[in-house]
Coordinates of all heavy atoms in Angstrom, one line a residue:
M289 N -16.5 134.7 -2.3 CA -16.0 135.9 -3.0 C -17.1 136.9 -2.9 O -18.3 136.7 -3.2 CB -15.7 135.6 -4.5 CG -15.3 136.7 -5.3 SD -15.2 136.4 -7.1 CE -14.1 135.0 -7.1
K290 N -16.7 138.1 -2.5 CA -17.6 139.2 -2.4 C -17.5 140.2 -3.5 O -16.3 140.5 -3.9 CB -17.5 140.0 -1.1 CG -17.9 139.2 0.2 CD -17.7 140.0 1.4 CE -18.2 139.2 2.6 NZ -17.3 138.1 3.0
L291 N -18.6 140.7 -4.0 CA -18.6 141.7 -5.0 C -19.6 142.8 -4.6 O -20.4 142.6 -3.7 CB -19.0 141.1 -6.4 CG -18.3 139.9 -6.9 CD1 -18.9 138.6 -6.4 CD2 -18.2 139.8 -8.4
I292 N -19.6 143.9 -5.3 CA -20.7 144.9 -5.1 C -21.4 145.1 -6.5 O -20.8 145.0 -7.5 CB -20.2 146.2 -4.6 CG1 -19.1 146.8 -5.5 CG2 -19.8 146.1 -3.1 CD1 -18.7 148.2 -5.1
L293 N -22.7 145.3 -6.3 CA -23.5 145.7 -7.5 C -24.0 147.1 -7.3 O -24.4 147.4 -6.2 CB -24.7 144.8 -7.6 CG -25.7 145.1 -8.8 CD1 -26.2 143.8 -9.4 CD2 -26.8 145.9 -8.4
C294 N -23.8 147.9 -8.3 CA -24.3 149.3 -8.2 C -25.7 149.4 -8.8 O -25.8 149.1 -10.0 CB -23.3 150.3 -8.9 SG -23.9 152.0 -8.9
P295 N -26.7 149.8 -8.0 CA -28.0 149.9 -8.6 C -28.2 151.1 -9.6 O -29.1 151.1 -10.4 CB -28.9 150.1 -7.4 CG -28.0 150.6 -6.3 CD -26.7 150.1 -6.6
M296 N -27.2 152.0 -9.5 CA -27.3 153.1 -10.4 C -26.8 152.8 -11.8 O -27.4 153.1 -12.8 CB -26.5 154.3 -9.9 CG -26.8 154.7 -8.4 SD -28.6 155.0 -8.2 CE -28.7 156.6 -9.0
C297 N -25.6 152.2 -11.9 CA -25.0 151.9 -13.3 C -25.0 150.4 -13.6 O -24.6 150.0 -14.7 CB -23.6 152.5 -13.3 SG -22.4 151.7 -12.3
E298 N -25.5 149.6 -12.6 CA -25.5 148.1 -12.8 C -24.2 147.5 -13.0 O -24.1 146.3 -13.4 CB -26.5 147.7 -13.9 CG -27.9 148.2 -13.6 CD -28.9 147.8 -14.7 OE1 -28.5 147.5 -15.8 OE2 -30.1 147.7 -14.3
D299 N -23.1 148.2 -12.6 CA -21.8 147.6 -12.7 C -21.6 146.6 -11.5 O -22.2 146.8 -10.4 CB -20.7 148.7 -12.6 CG -19.3 148.2 -13.0 OD1 -19.2 147.2 -13.6 OD2 -18.4 149.0 -12.7
V300 N -20.9 145.5 -11.8 CA -20.6 144.5 -10.7 C -19.1 144.5 -10.6 O -18.4 144.2 -11.6 CB -21.2 143.1 -11.1 CG1 -20.7 142.1 -10.0 CG2 -22.7 143.2 -11.2
V301 N -18.6 144.7 -9.4 CA -17.1 144.8 -9.2 C -16.7 143.8 -8.1 O -17.3 143.9 -7.0 CB -16.8 146.2 -8.8 CG1 -15.3 146.4 -8.6 CG2 -17.2 147.2 -9.9
K302 N -15.7 143.1 -8.3 CA -15.1 142.2 -7.3 C -14.3 143.1 -6.3 O -13.5 144.0 -6.8 CB -14.2 141.2 -7.9 CG -13.5 140.3 -6.9 CD -12.5 139.4 -7.7 CE -11.7 138.5 -6.7 NZ -10.8 139.3 -5.8
L303 N -14.5 142.8 -5.0 CA -13.7 143.6 -4.1 C -12.3 143.2 -4.1 O -11.9 142.1 -4.4 CB -14.3 143.4 -2.7 CG -15.8 143.8 -2.5 CD1 -16.2 143.6 -1.0 CD2 -16.1 145.1 -3.0
N304 N -11.4 144.2 -3.7 CA -10.0 143.9 -3.4 C -9.6 144.6 -2.1 O -10.5 145.2 -1.4 CB -9.2 144.4 -4.6 CG -9.2 145.9 -4.9 OD1 -9.7 146.6 -4.0 ND2 -8.7 146.3 -6.0
L305 N -8.3 144.6 -1.8 CA -7.9 145.2 -0.5 C -7.8 146.7 -0.5 O -8.0 147.4 0.5 CB -6.6 144.6 -0.1 CG -6.6 143.1 0.3 CD1 -5.1 142.7 0.5 CD2 -7.4 142.9 1.6
S306 N -7.6 147.3 -1.7 CA -7.4 148.8 -1.7 C -8.7 149.5 -2.0 O -8.8 150.7 -1.7 CB -6.4 149.1 -2.9 OG -6.9 148.7 -4.1
G307 N -9.8 148.8 -2.4 CA -11.1 149.5 -2.6 C -11.3 149.8 -4.1 O -10.4 150.1 -4.8
R308 N -12.5 149.5 -4.5 CA -12.9 149.7 -5.9 C -14.2 150.4 -6.0 O -15.1 150.1 -5.3 CB -12.9 148.3 -6.6 CG -11.6 147.6 -6.6 CD -11.7 146.3 -7.4 NE -11.8 146.6 -8.8 CZ -12.0 145.7 -9.7 NH1 -12.2 144.4 -9.3 NH2 -12.1 146.0 -11.0
F309 N -14.3 151.2 -7.0 CA -15.6 151.9 -7.4 C -16.2 151.2 -8.5 O -15.6 150.6 -9.4 CB -15.3 153.4 -7.8 CG -15.1 154.3 -6.6 CD1 -13.8 154.6 -6.3 CD2 -16.2 154.9 -6.0 CE1 -13.6 155.5 -5.2 CE2 -16.0 155.8 -4.9 CZ -14.7 156.1 -4.6
C310 N -17.5 151.4 -8.7 CA -18.2 151.0 -9.9 C -18.0 152.0 -11.0 O -17.3 153.1 -10.7 CB -19.7 151.0 -9.6 SG -20.4 152.6 -9.2
D311 N -18.5 151.8 -12.1 CA -18.3 152.7 -13.3 C -18.7 154.2 -13.0 O -18.0 155.1 -13.3 CB -19.0 152.2 -14.5 CG -18.1 151.2 -15.3 OD1 -16.9 151.1 -15.0 OD2 -18.7 150.6 -16.2
C312 N -19.9 154.3 -12.3 CA -20.4 155.7 -12.1 C -19.9 156.3 -10.9 O -20.1 157.5 -10.7 CB -21.9 155.6 -12.1 SG -22.7 155.1 -10.6
G313 N -19.2 155.6 -10.0 CA -18.6 156.2 -8.8 C -19.5 156.3 -7.6 O -19.2 156.8 -6.6
Q314 N -20.8 155.7 -7.7 CA -21.7 155.9 -6.6 C -21.6 154.7 -5.6 O -22.2 154.8 -4.6 CB -23.1 155.9 -7.2 CG -23.4 157.2 -8.0 CD -23.2 158.4 -7.2 OE1 -23.8 158.6 -6.2 NE2 -22.4 159.3 -7.7
S315 N -20.9 153.7 -6.0 CA -20.8 152.5 -5.1 C -19.3 152.2 -5.0 O -18.5 152.3 -5.9 CB -21.5 151.3 -5.7 OG -22.9 151.5 -5.8
W316 N -18.9 151.7 -3.8 CA -17.5 151.4 -3.5 C -17.5 150.3 -2.5 O -18.4 150.1 -1.7 CB -16.9 152.7 -2.9 CG -15.5 152.5 -2.4 CD1 -14.3 152.7 -3.1 CD2 -15.0 152.1 -1.1 NE1 -13.2 152.5 -2.4 CE2 -13.6 152.1 -1.1 CE3 -15.7 151.7 0.1 CZ2 -12.9 151.8 0.0 CZ3 -14.9 151.4 1.2 CH2 -13.5 151.4 1.2
G317 N -16.4 149.5 -2.5 CA -16.2 148.5 -1.5 C -14.8 147.9 -1.5 O -14.0 148.1 -2.5
R318 N -14.4 147.3 -0.4 CA -13.1 146.7 -0.3 C -13.1 145.6 0.8 O -14.0 145.6 1.7 CB -12.0 147.7 0.1 CG -12.1 148.2 1.5 CD -10.9 149.1 1.8 NE -11.0 149.5 3.2 CZ -10.0 149.2 4.1 NH1 -8.9 148.6 3.8 NH2 -10.1 149.6 5.4
Y319 N -12.2 144.7 0.6 CA -12.0 143.7 1.7 C -11.1 144.3 2.7 O -10.2 145.1 2.5 CB -11.2 142.5 1.1 CG -12.1 141.4 0.4 CD1 -12.0 141.2 -0.9 CD2 -13.0 140.7 1.2 CE1 -12.7 140.2 -1.5 CE2 -13.7 139.7 0.6 CZ -13.6 139.5 -0.8 OH -14.4 138.5 -1.3
M320 N -11.3 143.8 4.0 CA -10.4 144.2 5.0 C -9.2 143.2 4.9 O -9.2 142.3 4.1 CB -11.1 144.0 6.4 CG -12.4 144.7 6.5 SD -12.3 146.5 6.1 CE -11.4 147.1 7.4
D321 N -8.1 143.5 5.7 CA -6.9 142.7 5.6 C -7.1 141.2 5.7 O -6.3 140.4 5.2 CB -5.8 143.2 6.6 CG -5.3 144.5 6.2 OD1 -5.4 144.9 5.0 OD2 -4.7 145.2 7.1
D322 N -8.1 140.8 6.4 CA -8.4 139.3 6.6 C -8.9 138.7 5.3 O -9.0 137.4 5.3 CB -9.3 139.0 7.8 CG -10.7 139.6 7.7 OD1 -11.0 140.1 6.5 OD2 -11.4 139.6 8.7
G323 N -9.3 139.5 4.4 CA -9.8 138.9 3.1 C -11.2 138.3 3.2 O -11.7 137.7 2.3
I324 N -11.8 138.4 4.4 CA -13.2 137.9 4.6 C -14.2 139.0 4.9 O -15.2 139.2 4.2 CB -13.2 136.9 5.8 CG1 -12.3 135.7 5.5 CG2 -14.6 136.5 6.1 CD1 -12.0 134.8 6.6
N325 N -13.8 139.9 5.9 CA -14.7 141.0 6.2 C -14.5 142.1 5.1 O -13.4 142.2 4.5 CB -14.3 141.5 7.6 CG -14.7 140.6 8.7 OD1 -15.9 140.5 9.0 ND2 -13.8 139.9 9.2
A326 N -15.6 142.9 4.9 CA -15.5 143.9 3.9 C -16.2 145.1 4.4 O -17.1 145.1 5.3 CB -16.2 143.4 2.6
E327 N -15.9 146.3 3.8 CA -16.7 147.5 4.0 C -17.1 148.0 2.7 O -16.4 147.9 1.7 CB -15.9 148.5 4.9 CG -14.6 148.9 4.4 CD -13.9 149.8 5.4 OE1 -14.2 149.8 6.6 OE2 -12.9 150.5 4.9
I328 N -18.3 148.6 2.7 CA -18.9 149.1 1.4 C -19.4 150.5 1.7 O -19.7 150.9 2.9 CB -20.0 148.2 0.9 CG1 -21.2 148.1 1.9 CG2 -19.5 146.8 0.6 CD1 -22.4 147.4 1.3
A329 N -19.7 151.2 0.7 CA -20.2 152.6 0.8 C -21.0 153.0 -0.4 O -21.0 152.3 -1.4 CB -19.0 153.6 1.0
G330 N -21.7 154.1 -0.2 CA -22.5 154.6 -1.3 C -23.7 153.7 -1.5 O -24.3 153.3 -0.5
D331 N -24.0 153.5 -2.7 CA -25.2 152.7 -3.1 C -24.9 151.2 -3.2 O -25.8 150.4 -3.6 CB -25.8 153.2 -4.4 CG -26.3 154.6 -4.3 OD1 -27.0 155.0 -3.2 OD2 -26.1 155.4 -5.2
A332 N -23.7 150.8 -2.9 CA -23.3 149.4 -3.1 C -24.2 148.4 -2.5 O -24.6 148.5 -1.3 CB -21.9 149.2 -2.6
I333 N -24.5 147.3 -3.2 CA -25.3 146.2 -2.7 C -24.3 145.0 -2.8 O -23.8 144.7 -3.9 CB -26.5 145.9 -3.6 CG1 -27.5 147.0 -3.5 CG2 -27.2 144.6 -3.1 CD1 -28.7 146.9 -4.5
P334 N -24.0 144.4 -1.6 CA -23.0 143.3 -1.6 C -23.6 142.0 -2.2 O -24.7 141.7 -1.9 CB -22.6 143.2 -0.2 CG -23.8 143.7 0.6 CD -24.4 144.7 -0.3
I335 N -22.8 141.3 -2.9 CA -23.1 140.0 -3.5 C -22.1 139.0 -3.2 O -20.9 139.4 -3.1 CB -23.3 140.2 -5.1 CG1 -24.5 141.1 -5.4 CG2 -23.4 138.9 -5.8 CD1 -24.6 141.3 -6.9
G336 N -22.5 137.8 -3.0 CA -21.5 136.7 -2.7 C -21.6 135.6 -3.8 O -22.6 135.4 -4.3
F337 N -20.4 135.0 -4.1 CA -20.4 133.8 -4.9 C -20.0 132.7 -4.0 O -19.2 132.8 -3.1 CB -19.2 133.9 -6.0 CG -19.5 134.8 -7.2 CD1 -18.6 134.9 -8.1 CD2 -20.8 135.4 -7.4 CE1 -18.8 135.7 -9.3 CE2 -21.0 136.2 -8.5 CZ -20.0 136.3 -9.4
A338 N -20.6 131.5 -4.2 CA -20.2 130.3 -3.5 C -18.9 129.8 -4.2 O -18.9 129.3 -5.3 CB -21.3 129.3 -3.7
N339 N -17.8 130.1 -3.5 CA -16.5 129.9 -4.1 C -16.3 128.4 -4.6 O -15.7 128.2 -5.6 CB -15.4 130.3 -3.1 CG -15.4 131.7 -2.8 OD1 -15.9 132.5 -3.6 ND2 -14.8 132.1 -1.7
S340 N -16.7 127.5 -3.7 CA -16.4 126.1 -4.1 C -17.2 125.7 -5.3 O -16.8 124.9 -6.2 CB -16.7 125.1 -2.9 OG -18.1 125.2 -2.6
E341 N -18.5 126.2 -5.4 CA -19.3 125.9 -6.6 C -18.7 126.6 -7.8 O -18.7 126.0 -8.9 CB -20.7 126.4 -6.4 CG -21.5 125.6 -5.3 CD -22.9 126.1 -5.2 OE1 -23.5 126.6 -6.2 OE2 -23.5 125.9 -4.1
L342 N -18.2 127.8 -7.7 CA -17.5 128.4 -8.8 C -16.3 127.6 -9.3 O -16.2 127.4 -10.5 CB -17.1 129.9 -8.5 CG -16.4 130.7 -9.5 CD1 -17.2 130.7 -10.8 CD2 -16.0 132.0 -9.0
R343 N -15.5 127.2 -8.4 CA -14.3 126.4 -8.8 C -14.8 125.1 -9.5 O -14.2 124.7 -10.5 CB -13.5 126.0 -7.5 CG -12.6 127.1 -7.1 CD -11.6 126.6 -6.0 NE -12.2 126.2 -4.8 CZ -12.5 127.1 -3.8 NH1 -12.2 128.3 -3.9 NH2 -13.1 126.6 -2.7
T344 N -15.8 124.5 -9.0 CA -16.3 123.2 -9.7 C -16.8 123.6 -11.1 O -16.5 122.8 -12.0 CB -17.4 122.6 -8.8 OG1 -16.8 122.2 -7.5 CG2 -17.9 121.3 -9.5
A345 N -17.5 124.7 -11.2 CA -18.1 125.0 -12.5 C -17.0 125.4 -13.5 O -17.0 125.0 -14.6 CB -19.0 126.2 -12.3
L346 N -15.9 126.0 -13.0 CA -14.8 126.3 -13.8 C -14.1 125.1 -14.3 O -13.7 124.9 -15.5 CB -13.8 127.3 -13.1 CG -14.3 128.7 -12.9 CD1 -13.4 129.4 -11.9 CD2 -14.5 129.4 -14.2
T347 N -13.9 124.1 -13.3 CA -13.2 122.9 -13.6 C -14.0 122.1 -14.7 O -13.4 121.4 -15.5 CB -13.0 122.0 -12.4 OG1 -12.2 122.8 -11.4 CG2 -12.4 120.7 -12.6
N348 N -15.3 122.2 -14.6 CA -16.2 121.4 -15.5 C -16.7 122.2 -16.6 O -17.8 121.8 -17.2 CB -17.3 120.7 -14.6 CG -16.8 119.8 -13.6 OD1 -16.0 118.9 -13.9 ND2 -17.1 120.1 -12.3
R349 N -16.1 123.2 -17.0 CA -16.6 124.1 -18.1 C -16.8 123.3 -19.3 O -15.8 122.6 -19.9 CB -15.5 125.2 -18.4 CG -16.0 126.1 -19.4 CD -14.9 127.2 -19.7 NE -15.4 128.1 -20.7 CZ -14.6 128.9 -21.4 NH1 -13.3 128.9 -21.1 NH2 -15.0 129.7 -22.3
P350 N -18.0 123.3 -19.8 CA -18.3 122.5 -21.0 C -17.7 123.2 -22.3 O -17.5 124.4 -22.3 CB -19.8 122.4 -21.1 CG -20.2 123.6 -20.4 CD -19.2 123.9 -19.3
R351 N -17.5 122.4 -23.3 CA -17.0 122.9 -24.5 C -18.1 123.6 -25.3 O -17.8 124.6 -26.0 CB -16.4 121.7 -25.4 CG -15.7 122.2 -26.6 CD -14.9 121.0 -27.2 NE -14.3 121.4 -28.4 CZ -13.2 122.1 -28.6 NH1 -12.6 122.6 -27.5 NH2 -12.7 122.4 -29.7
S352 N -19.3 123.2 -25.1 CA -20.4 123.8 -25.8 C -21.7 123.5 -25.0 O -21.7 122.8 -24.0 CB -20.6 123.3 -27.2 OG -20.8 121.9 -27.2
G353 N -22.8 124.0 -25.5 CA -24.1 123.8 -24.8 C -24.2 124.7 -23.6 O -23.7 125.8 -23.6
M354 N -25.0 124.2 -22.6 CA -25.3 125.0 -21.4 C -24.0 125.1 -20.6 O -23.3 124.1 -20.5 CB -26.4 124.3 -20.6 CG -27.7 124.3 -21.3 SD -28.4 125.9 -21.6 CE -28.8 126.4 -19.9
G355 N -23.8 126.2 -20.0 CA -22.7 126.4 -19.1 C -23.0 125.8 -17.7 O -24.1 125.4 -17.5
C356 N -21.9 125.7 -16.9 CA -22.1 125.1 -15.6 C -22.6 126.2 -14.6 O -22.1 127.3 -14.7 CB -20.8 124.6 -15.0 SG -20.2 123.1 -15.9
T357 N -23.5 125.9 -13.8 CA -24.1 126.9 -12.9 C -23.3 126.8 -11.6 O -22.7 125.9 -11.2 CB -25.6 126.6 -12.6 OG1 -25.7 125.3 -12.0 CG2 -26.4 126.7 -13.9
F358 N -23.4 128.0 -10.9 CA -22.9 128.0 -9.5 C -23.8 129.0 -8.8 O -24.6 129.8 -9.4 CB -21.5 128.5 -9.4 CG -21.2 129.8 -9.9 CD1 -21.1 130.9 -9.0 CD2 -21.0 130.1 -11.3 CE1 -20.9 132.2 -9.4 CE2 -20.8 131.4 -11.7 CZ -20.7 132.4 -10.8
S359 N -23.8 129.0 -7.4 CA -24.7 129.9 -6.7 C -24.0 131.3 -6.4 O -22.9 131.4 -6.1 CB -24.9 129.3 -5.3 OG -25.6 128.1 -5.5
A360 N -24.9 132.3 -6.6 CA -24.6 133.7 -6.2 C -25.7 134.1 -5.4 O -26.8 133.6 -5.5 CB -24.4 134.5 -7.5
F361 N -25.4 135.0 -4.4 CA -26.5 135.5 -3.6 C -26.3 136.9 -3.2 O -25.2 137.4 -3.1 CB -26.6 134.6 -2.3 CG -25.2 134.4 -1.6 CD1 -24.9 135.2 -0.6 CD2 -24.3 133.4 -2.1 CE1 -23.7 135.1 0.1 CE2 -23.1 133.3 -1.4 CZ -22.7 134.1 -0.4
V362 N -27.4 137.6 -2.9 CA -27.4 138.9 -2.4 C -27.2 138.8 -0.9 O -27.9 138.2 -0.2 CB -28.7 139.7 -2.7 CG1 -28.7 141.1 -2.1 CG2 -28.9 139.7 -4.2
I363 N -26.2 139.5 -0.4 CA -25.8 139.5 1.1 C -26.9 140.3 1.8 O -27.2 141.4 1.3 CB -24.4 140.0 1.3 CG1 -23.4 139.0 0.6 CG2 -24.1 140.2 2.8 CD1 -22.0 139.4 0.6
P364 N -27.4 139.8 2.9 CA -28.4 140.5 3.6 C -28.0 141.9 4.1 O -26.7 142.2 4.3 CB -28.8 139.6 4.8 CG -27.9 138.4 4.7 CD -27.0 138.6 3.5
E365 N -28.9 142.8 4.4 CA -28.6 144.1 4.9 C -27.8 144.1 6.2 O -27.0 144.9 6.4 CB -29.9 144.9 5.1 CG -30.6 145.3 3.7 CD -31.8 146.1 3.9 OE1 -31.9 146.9 4.9 OE2 -32.7 146.0 3.1
I366 N -28.2 143.1 7.0 CA -27.4 143.0 8.3 C -26.6 141.7 8.1 O -27.1 140.6 8.0 CB -28.4 142.8 9.5 CG1 -29.2 144.1 9.6 CG2 -27.6 142.5 10.8 CD1 -30.3 144.0 10.6
C367 N -25.3 141.9 8.1 CA -24.3 140.8 7.9 C -23.1 141.0 8.7 O -22.5 142.1 8.7 CB -24.0 140.7 6.4 SG -22.7 139.5 6.0
D368 N -22.6 140.0 9.5 CA -21.5 140.2 10.3 C -20.2 140.5 9.6 O -19.2 141.1 10.2 CB -21.2 138.9 11.2 CG -22.3 138.7 12.2 OD1 -23.0 139.7 12.6 OD2 -22.4 137.6 12.7
T369 N -20.1 140.2 8.3 CA -18.8 140.3 7.6 C -18.8 141.5 6.6 O -17.9 141.7 5.9 CB -18.5 139.1 6.8 OG1 -19.5 138.8 5.9 CG2 -18.2 137.9 7.8
V370 N -19.9 142.3 6.6 CA -20.0 143.5 5.7 C -20.4 144.7 6.5 O -21.5 144.6 7.2 CB -21.0 143.3 4.5 CG1 -21.0 144.5 3.7 CG2 -20.5 142.1 3.7
R371 N -19.6 145.7 6.5 CA -19.9 146.9 7.3 C -20.1 148.0 6.3 O -19.4 148.2 5.3 CB -18.7 147.2 8.2 CG -19.0 148.4 9.1 CD -17.9 148.5 10.2 NE -16.6 148.7 9.6 CZ -15.8 149.8 9.7 NH1 -16.2 150.8 10.5 NH2 -14.6 149.9 9.2
V372 N -21.2 148.8 6.5 CA -21.5 150.0 5.6 C -20.8 151.2 6.3 O -21.0 151.5 7.5 CB -23.0 150.2 5.5 CG1 -23.3 151.4 4.6 CG2 -23.7 148.9 4.9
I373 N -20.0 151.9 5.5 CA -19.4 153.1 6.0 C -19.7 154.3 5.1 O -20.3 154.1 4.0 CB -17.8 152.9 6.0 CG1 -17.3 152.7 4.6 CG2 -17.4 151.8 6.9 CD1 -15.8 152.8 4.5
R374 N -19.4 155.4 5.5 CA -19.5 156.6 4.7 C -18.4 156.6 3.6 O -17.3 156.2 3.9 CB -19.4 157.9 5.5 CG -20.6 158.1 6.4 CD -20.6 159.4 7.0 NE -20.4 160.5 6.0 CZ -20.7 161.7 6.2 NH1 -21.2 162.1 7.3 NH2 -20.5 162.6 5.2
L375 N -18.7 157.0 2.4 CA -17.8 157.0 1.4 C -16.5 157.8 1.8 O -16.6 159.0 2.1 CB -18.4 157.6 0.1 CG -17.8 157.3 -1.2 CD1 -17.8 155.8 -1.5 CD2 -18.5 158.0 -2.4
P376 N -15.4 157.2 1.9 CA -14.2 157.9 2.3 C -13.6 158.9 1.4 O -12.8 159.8 1.7 CB -13.2 156.7 2.6 CG -13.6 155.7 1.7 CD -15.1 155.8 1.5
F377 N -13.9 158.7 0.1 CA -13.4 159.6 -0.9 C -14.2 159.3 -2.2 O -14.9 158.4 -2.3 CB -11.9 159.3 -1.2 CG -11.5 157.9 -1.5 CD1 -11.6 157.4 -2.7 CD2 -11.2 157.1 -0.4 CE1 -11.3 156.0 -2.9 CE2 -10.9 155.7 -0.6 CZ -11.0 155.2 -1.9
S378 N -14.0 160.2 -3.2 CA -14.8 160.0 -4.4 C -13.9 159.6 -5.5 O -12.7 159.7 -5.5 CB -15.5 161.3 -4.8 OG -14.5 162.3 -5.0
K379 N -14.5 159.0 -6.5 CA -13.8 158.4 -7.6 C -13.1 159.5 -8.4 O -13.6 160.6 -8.6 CB -14.8 157.7 -8.6 CG -14.2 157.0 -9.7 CD -15.2 156.2 -10.5 CE -14.6 155.6 -11.7 NZ -15.6 154.9 -12.5
Ligands
LIG602 ZN1 -22.4 152.8 -10.3

């Protein structure tokens, strides 16, 4: 799962097919039709969740105490599945 983090407002937004802005409007991103590749714009920093680990953590959600962990990672500046574009429109 890909998300964007905006360094300006610190909002974290899950990408969708139509495109989403952060709260302040300086970061934007969307999935391409294949649901794997994405394009981002503005100040957006792409973040990934390890989907299988998230599913496992959700399945094993404890009733109390420490929560289940899963991996999240900052996607590198050069990545085959994330393309940086100019902001196509403003919020
Ligand atoms: Zn923002």
Side-chain angles (χ1 to χ4, degrees):
M289 178 188 307
K290 289 181 178 74
L291 308 92
I292 54 169
L293 178 142
C294 176
M296 307 305 287
C297 68
E298 299 182 336
D299 195 14
V300 175
V301 178
K302 178 185 175 294
L303 301 187
N304 65 10
L305 290 173
S306 60
R308 298 183 70 190
F309 280 97
C310 65
D311 273 345
C312 78
Q314 297 298 306
S315 298
W316 176 90
R318 75 174 179 119
Y319 274 116
M320 307 308 290
D321 288 339
D322 64 10
I324 297 169
N325 290 286
E327 55 187 19
I328 63 172
D331 296 318
I333 298 172
I335 291 176
F337 282 177
N339 295 337
S340 62
E341 290 183 26
L342 175 57
R343 279 191 294 274
T344 299
L346 290 168
T347 299
N348 298 305
R349 182 182 182 197
R351 187 164 177 81
S352 62
M354 296 292 292
C356 291
T357 61
F358 67 96
S359 296
F361 50 95
V362 176
I363 295 172
E365 290 182 28
I366 299 172
C367 174
D368 289 343
T369 60
V370 178
R371 184 169 63 115
V372 179
I373 63 168
R374 290 186 52 157
L375 202 60
F377 51 89
S378 60
K379 182 177 179 182

